[in-house]
Amino acid sequence: MEQQHEWNDNALGGDLLRGDLLGGDLLGSDLLGGDALADDAIGMAASNLGPSIVGTMLHFFSPVEQPFERTSIVRGDGGSLSASTMPRRAWLRLATRASLAAIAGPWSSSASSANGAPAGRPVERPVAQGRIAEGRGPGWNRAKSVIVVFASGGQSQLDMWDPKPDAPLDVRGDFRAIATRLAGVRVCEHLPRVAGVLDRCTLVRSMSHEDLDHGSAVYLALTGHYHPRRSSNPSPAATDFPTLGALVRRLRPASRFLCDALHLNGPALVPTTPSPGQNGGFLGRGVEPWVVGDVLDARGAMPGLEPRGDWAAERLDARLALKRSLDAFRGELDSLSDVADLNRWFVEARQLLDQPAARVAFDLERESAATRSRYGHHRSGQALLLARRLVEAGVPYINVIWNHSNRGQDTQPDDTDSYGWDTHNDIFSSLRDRLLPRFDESFSALIEDLDQRGLLDDTLVVCMGEFGRAPRVALEPRFAGATPGRKHWAGVYSLVMAGAGVQRGAVVGQSDRMGAEPVTARYGPWDVAATIFHSLGIAPDSEYQDASDRPFRASEGRPMAEVFA
């Protein structure tokens, strides 16, 4: 922490030597680090992304014995399990093994804290003025739904949201700044459509925290708590704090939709392993958000929901009863939470088949060709379109992982879908040719579409990453690429909010002349979490208990009063 403060002081003093404006050089901290999750079906079932198994469980209810073409389970390495021939009986044997593995798997993670207790409350944090008292005030309970657009890898505030045209060339970068619909506010030249919708948004330019690596910073962004291993890439653990969507499921009255929280285009990979902060943590897997992977999958966003003529309710119920009878021989295990969670997913899969509204919500083919084209024919754009459909279906919390890998371009430089915002090298070509055109297209489409349909008034949209990029442009020999980029930087970065009482056309916060530190009140990820809960009518100081009845606050932050009208 002291080293980070030293960099910040140097940045403010204008000393551009060594690491001051380059960002934290953590000697390999960008590499995977930590223990990789198990790379097989058993380890997967014990990993942190259990709700993605719901799609697989739909196969159990299939009325005919047929090969199991491909599961929707996400492995620990981010790939998907596949089997060209896996009949239901083989799947049942696999599920039984997975159930037993789930009992012990997560609790053996090396990411657990030393004393076994969930750690990570912020010990210290920047304090902003004029916050809302918890529970009431502007924006309270205005949102029926929240869409988090998570830009994994860290968007460059200098090359997108907070350009510094008067700074030296090695700080301001290659791009020009253009005018927006907000007087005096400029953004990157490669965001012309976003510039046209900023009059419906609030741009926050004074986000700040002290975590400098992806895994733990993603955890901070998606839970509102520091990880006990700051600036590292830990594996998910059963002692983690729950992700925001899990707390929405725990603390908010159930919606009319079967699941109150979904992660789309997930999980967020760093760069090939799921980061922590995306699961139920110490609350267990029963409250985890459902995970939908590639929405462009040829079988649809949620395979297995298509109605079939021989899906009689009695037959489906009989299959569920058969499963329960097979479980009976291990009845002594049913009291364990992980087994109960697995049983709950079977029930949810059965209920999902009974919900026509769910089938409609996940069916992107019901959208017009023009609408699908406006969002963009790519994973990111279609995931945002699915998020809008889920808002219409009444889902309270949707997290769109805009790019599923934070830096997939290292191994797949020709696949634009694989590009992430972690642009250590080749930042300007990656942004100009790959990332910004798709982001400009899809994010502006989401704001326009929600507004035109009258949904923006009661939908909170939050676009954020885990941190920003360093002010100084430099070539990093440890990373792929031939031209300079920017390192990680958490001293200051930007995010965008819109809807649900957020001011239309405002800028909150200001960074210094180099884009290195805030010069106004700082906000942290804990405050973003508090603002999301506040908007959904969940008081940030609400308490919940873990399995040992230990009390925890929903958020250690406070709602951001300045963003609300």
Side-chain angles (χ1 to χ4, degrees):
M1 188 181 302
E2 289 77 17
Q3 189 178 20
Q4 171 68 10
H5 288 158
E6 178 185 348
W7 288 329
N8 294 344
D9 292 341
N10 289 341
L12 290 170
D15 183 1
L16 302 183
L17 297 178
R18 194 171 52 83
D20 42 12
L21 292 179
L22 288 174
D25 187 354
L26 300 181
L27 296 179
S29 61
D30 274 294
L31 303 180
L32 284 178
D35 295 331
L37 297 180
D39 190 25
D40 56 53
I42 298 175
M44 177 285 308
S47 74
N48 67 314
L49 296 169
S52 62
I53 203 171
V54 171
T56 303
M57 289 175 176
L58 294 174
H59 173 77
F60 175 83
F61 296 107
S62 176
V64 295
E65 185 73 51
Q66 57 187 355
F68 188 16
E69 294 180 357
R70 185 165 64 84
T71 78
S72 61
I73 299 175
V74 181
R75 296 186 317 205
D77 66 355
S80 59
L81 298 172
S82 62
S84 58
T85 58
M86 186 182 290
R88 186 183 305 106
R89 292 180 179 87
W91 188 88
L92 283 171
R93 290 193 295 269
L94 173 63
T96 301
R97 296 173 62 209
S99 300
L100 296 173
I103 297 168
W107 298 95
S108 62
S109 171
S110 61
S112 302
S113 60
N115 60 5
R121 291 176 183 249
V123 176
E124 55 183 276
R125 61 180 176 83
V127 177
Q129 302 293 321
R131 304 291 176 82
I132 299 170
E134 285 91 338
R136 295 292 183 271
W140 166 255
N141 204 23
R142 283 287 303 270
K144 294 180 181 177
S145 298
V146 171
I147 299 175
V148 174
V149 181
F150 189 66
S152 179
Q155 292 182 329
S156 173
Q157 71 280 7
L158 291 131
D159 302 302
M160 293 182 64
W161 306 113
D162 193 9
K164 302 294 180 181
D166 298 326
L169 178 61
D170 59 355
V171 172
R172 71 173 183 264
D174 287 1
F175 300 151
R176 296 183 301 107
I178 61 171
T180 69
R181 294 288 295 270
L182 301 180
V185 177
R186 305 177 77 81
V187 295
C188 171
E189 63 178 310
H190 298 295
L191 295 174
R193 288 179 165 178
V194 168
V197 299
L198 277 187
D199 59 334
R200 311 174 209 190
C201 306
T202 285
L203 178 57
V204 180
R205 286 175 165 171
S206 57
M207 294 296 301
S208 180
H209 61 77
E210 296 179 340
D211 194 303
L212 280 171
D213 216 342
H214 296 288
S216 51
V218 169
Y219 177 91
L220 173 59
L222 298 183
T223 69
H225 296 273
Y226 278 113
H227 195 278
R229 291 171 52 193
R230 293 195 196 184
S231 299
S232 68
N233 282 299
S235 298
T239 52
D240 288 344
F241 271 93
T243 194
L244 300 179
L247 284 181
V248 170
R249 296 193 72 180
R250 176 67 174 264
L251 296 174
R252 195 173 188 268
S255 69
R256 67 178 185 269
F257 201 80
L258 180 58
C259 184
D260 286 343
L262 288 97
H263 287 185
L264 307 183
N265 201 31
L269 305 177
V270 181
T272 60
T273 302
S275 75
Q278 303 179 73
N279 61 13
F282 59 75
L283 285 184
R285 306 182 71 186
V287 295
E288 289 181 359
W290 288 2
V291 179
V292 177
D294 183 359
V295 301
L296 291 180
D297 189 303
R299 300 168 304 144
M302 183 68 82
L305 291 181
E306 301 81 5
R308 299 177 184 177
D310 51 357
W311 267 13
E314 295 80 4
R315 190 169 188 179
L316 296 177
D317 289 338
R319 292 195 178 276
L320 187 57
L322 172 61
K323 178 218 171 275
R324 288 170 177 159
S325 68
L326 292 173
D327 289 342
F329 78 96
R330 55 185 177 89
E332 68 275 10
L333 300 180
D334 285 341
S335 60
L336 297 179
S337 61
D338 292 286
V339 176
D341 291 340
L342 190 62
N343 288 334
R344 186 179 299 110
W345 297 332
F346 270 105
V347 172
E348 287 183 351
R350 168 67 181 91
Q351 292 173 341
L352 190 58
L353 296 174
D354 275 343
Q355 284 204 355
R359 293 198 294 269
V360 170
F362 286 110
D363 187 2
L364 289 173
E365 294 297 327
R366 292 175 177 264
E367 294 289 334
S368 70
T371 298
R372 298 196 70 175
S373 178
R374 175 64 182 90
Y375 276 84
H377 291 289
H378 41 80
R379 286 183 64 163
S380 306
Q382 296 303 296
L384 289 181
L385 175 55
L386 179 56
R388 192 222 76 208
R389 293 184 62 82
L390 292 172
V391 165
E392 291 176 313
V395 178
Y397 182 86
I398 306 123
N399 183 346
V400 179
I401 312 298
W402 192 85
N403 48 297
H404 59 284
S405 172
N406 71 322
R407 199 176 67 248
Q409 57 263 43
D410 285 2
T411 57
Q412 295 179 286
D414 297 324
D415 179 17
T416 303
D417 270 337
S418 295
Y419 273 64
W421 300 98
D422 189 27
T423 46
H424 286 270
N425 289 329
D426 296 339
I427 185 171
F428 300 112
S429 60
S430 296
L431 291 177
R432 181 188 62 243
D433 302 332
R434 305 285 187 169
L435 291 162
L436 293 182
R438 290 188 172 196
F439 181 80
D440 186 52
E441 176 180 56
S442 60
F443 185 68
S444 64
L446 176 67
I447 299 299
E448 284 181 355
D449 201 8
L450 289 172
D451 200 27
Q452 291 170 0
R453 293 171 183 267
L455 298 171
L456 194 59
D457 288 342
D458 50 24
T459 303
L460 176 67
V461 179
V462 181
C463 177
M464 64 178 183
E466 65 267 40
F467 42 53
R469 311 306 298 183
R472 183 79 176 271
V473 177
L475 185 67
E476 293 191 70
R478 293 187 300 112
F479 292 91
T483 61
R486 300 185 191 267
K487 287 189 176 183
H488 307 168
W489 192 261
V492 71
Y493 61 105
S494 302
L495 62 75
V496 179
M497 291 186 176
V502 169
Q503 294 187 72
R504 294 174 72 99
V507 176
V508 171
Q510 181 181 347
S511 65
D512 63 18
R513 65 186 183 88
M514 308 295 282
E517 285 292 313
V519 296
T520 57
R522 302 167 184 245
Y523 295 96
W526 40 88
D527 298 314
V528 177
T531 304
I532 289 172
F533 292 142
H534 177 86
S535 296
L536 287 170
I538 302 170
D541 61 350
S542 298
E543 285 194 349
Y544 63 96
Q545 289 75 38
D546 65 4
S548 301
D549 290 327
R550 290 175 297 180
F552 297 92
R553 281 172 53 113
S555 173
E556 296 294 331
R558 297 179 182 176
M560 301 159 65
E562 290 181 304
V563 305
F564 292 108

